[in-house]
Amino acid sequence: MNLLDEGGAAADDPIVHLDSLVPEWLTVPEAAERQGVALSTVRTQIKEGQLVAVRRGPNKAVYIPEVFVTQEGPRPELPGTFTVLTDGGMNDCELLTWLFTPDETLPVPGSPMDALLAGHKTEIRRRAMETAF
């Protein structure tokens, strides 16, 4: 997956908006440490679409939403959802915005990511297909 470069701190900057939606971020080294794997493994997980990351902050470092990574690795419900959204034309920033934007019509309060964590993978992928195509 492509990484998005931060373009500045303007209010309409997609990264600034993402920062208001995503509660916690991990750097690549933090994601590697959490999983007990090498940095190259995390970079491969990003490249292969198991994780999605963006460049943010003053150093434009690569960050991954914290909720995506467990001690066992990337959450298993994510790659298929990422694929549906990217195949539908979303870039990484748009994908993350969609996943973390609250939606009152979901089966649980919160965002599509909250619904995924609550076990509503099929519903979220159905909505992802509708949104992306």
Side-chain angles (χ1 to χ4, degrees), residues 28 31-32 35 37-47 51 64:
V28 170
Q35 298 176 73
V37 299
L39 295 175
S40 60
T41 300
V42 176
R43 289 187 193 106
T44 299
Q45 291 169 338
I46 294 168
K47 182 179 176 186
L51 293 171
I64 303 158

Side-chain angles (χ1 to χ4, degrees), residues 14 17-18 21-22 52 68 77-78 80-86 90-107 110-116 120-133:
H17 181 63
L18 263 181
L21 296 173
V22 179
V52 172
F68 287 2
E77 57 272 291
L78 295 175
T81 306
F82 295 158
T83 299
V84 169
L85 293 167
T86 56
M90 286 189 182
N91 65 35
D92 291 347
C93 188
E94 292 166 335
L95 180 154
L96 291 174
T97 299
W98 186 84
L99 275 175
F100 286 96
T101 298
D103 181 344
E104 295 176 4
T105 67
L106 292 170
S111 67
M113 189 65 216
D114 295 318
L116 278 173
H120 297 281
K121 179 176 73 172
T122 302
E123 172 67 10
I124 294 308
R125 288 202 185 152
R126 183 189 64 76
R127 288 176 183 233
M129 283 186 227
E130 291 173 357
T131 301
F133 291 99

